[in-house]
Amino acid sequence: MLVAVQPPLTLGDALISVSYGVTIYGEDVRTGGWLLVIQIACVIAITFGIIQLSRSLAMVHGPQQPAPEPAASGG
């Protein structure tokens, strides 16, 4: 299900961009004191939201069960 995979790919894109910035371009990420705690809390919240979004999209766009057929009248 491509629809359910899209939200995690969005998070992966951001994480890869930060990794490239730090490793290739030598950018500094401020992680001192309470700033690190806030950043970790935000990443956890975003991850939780992405998991919930993926699950809801999988439920909405998942395989549909066929409607039950009406009972035949015995007339």
Side-chain angles (χ1 to χ4, degrees), residues 1 3-4 52-63:
M1 301 193 97
V3 173
Q52 294 300 320
L53 182 61
S54 295
R55 288 182 180 172
S56 68
L57 288 173
M59 290 173 61
V60 169
H61 296 287

Side-chain angles (χ1 to χ4, degrees), residues 33-54:
W34 285 101
L35 191 58
L36 179 61
V37 175
I38 293 170
Q39 290 173 351
I40 291 172
C42 290
V43 168
I44 290 171
I46 291 170
T47 304
F48 178 75
I50 287 175
I51 290 170
Q52 294 300 320
L53 182 61
S54 295

Side-chain angles (χ1 to χ4, degrees), residues 13-51:
D13 182 39
L15 294 175
I16 290 170
S17 297
V18 170
S19 299
Y20 279 164
V22 170
T23 57
I24 295 175
Y25 300 113
E27 294 181 1
D28 294 326
V29 179
R30 291 185 279 173
T31 58
W34 285 101
L35 191 58
L36 179 61
V37 175
I38 293 170
Q39 290 173 351
I40 291 172
C42 290
V43 168
I44 290 171
I46 291 170
T47 304
F48 178 75
I50 287 175
I51 290 170

Side-chain angles (χ1 to χ4, degrees), residues 65-73:
Q65 295 196 6
E69 295 183 22
S73 59

